Amino acid sequence: MSEDGGRWPDFFIVGAPKCGTTSLYAVLKSHPAVFFPENKEPMFFNTDLSHPHAVRSENIYNELFSRARPDQVCGDASTLYLSSLVAPGAIRQRLPDAKIIILIRDPVEQMYSWYRHLKYWGYENAPSFSDAISLQRERREGHKLPIGNICHDWLQYEEMASFSRQIDRYRGTFPESQLGVWLLEDLKEVPNETLVDIASFLGLDSILVSEHCVPEKNTNKALRFPVLKRSLQVMRAYPGIRAFLKATMPVSVRKKLLLGINKIGTRKEKAPPISPELRLALRHRMMSEVRRLSEIVGQDLPVRWGWEGDTNR
């Protein structure tokens, strides 16, 4: 709690996106000693990354945590904080004692999952993952960007998956005792052990957390009506239309309408595998990144992720 009485988070799940943050959020949110707002990702501290739903008002941000009991710790699970250049310093300046949780995974798998996520939400129009990877340089220069994309940095897949540099920003800002890094693979394969470790890091009763299995969140989805989703994204791209909708439709109604459209227009679909050629090319490009990550987490990640033979191919 700040001097003016506003409630602030005690810890952050800063990312990375598509690395199990929603599952961890759901498990921790069920713990009686933890409070999360319904808005999982307020995005208050990543002021360098635009998003129409980002909370920029301090009063509104504090209000998100106003229902927390005095004996609860509060969390913010905004996954753009990891890739943000300014979020580590902004969090540290405001909340020097905050604890930082980072989840990572095989970066090639993260890139592919992130591509499918953006594709589903209408922020990516590249017809294939291979095309999206090939477009990174042109898009960095402002070309061939999708209409309605709200953050062009999201389309830099290799940058988004360069976790070591992102983690190093936090390591250079926070004491090691306030920073924890875990693997999505551990959350899936040994959930109880991983959750006990995270609970201990946060000073929580680990038994209460470890009794919960990790739920499946953000499973593979595809659009039943892609044209409808793209139409919504095109409408969002124009300030006049956004202003009209805000003026004529309450936020609660807009959210219910969007959720309804998403529910009707969504079907479950198993993600097709990445082509062996593209997977191998990306592993070669990301190998130095994975070796650096190995040093950070103290594991042989090329072996853990099945990359060990790729350097010789």
Side-chain angles (χ1 to χ4, degrees), residues 6 15 20 28 53 57 158 161 217 223 237 241 249 270 299-300 303 310:
L28 290 178
H53 299 148
S57 163
E158 290 173 65
K217 295 290 182 181
L223 296 174
I241 297 177
M249 194 179 296
K270 186 176 181 180
Q299 293 189 42
D300 190 343
V303 172
D310 289 343

Side-chain angles (χ1 to χ4, degrees), residues 164-198:
S164 67
R165 279 175 279 177
Q166 299 166 12
I167 293 171
D168 279 341
R169 283 198 290 269
Y170 280 89
R171 294 178 82 198
T173 307
F174 285 86
E176 290 288 336
S177 61
Q178 292 174 225
L179 183 65
V181 181
W182 287 269
L183 303 182
L184 169 63
E185 291 79 7
D186 287 335
L187 197 59
K188 285 184 172 181
E189 296 166 14
V190 284
N192 280 359
E193 180 181 327
T194 305
L195 291 170
V196 166
D197 195 29
I198 293 173

Side-chain angles (χ1 to χ4, degrees), residues 122-182:
Y123 299 136
E124 171 61 274
N125 64 356
S128 71
F129 180 47
S130 178
D131 291 325
I133 293 297
S134 299
L135 285 168
Q136 289 177 108
R137 178 174 296 179
E138 289 180 271
R139 286 171 161 178
R140 187 180 295 113
E141 297 171 353
H143 307 299
K144 297 186 178 179
L145 296 168
I147 296 175
N149 182 276
I150 55 180
C151 186
H152 299 161
D153 292 323
W154 291 359
L155 303 174
Q156 299 303 312
Y157 294 93
E158 290 173 65
E159 287 293 324
M160 290 288 291
S162 294
F163 304 135
S164 67
R165 279 175 279 177
Q166 299 166 12
I167 293 171
D168 279 341
R169 283 198 290 269
Y170 280 89
R171 294 178 82 198
T173 307
F174 285 86
E176 290 288 336
S177 61
Q178 292 174 225
L179 183 65
V181 181
W182 287 269

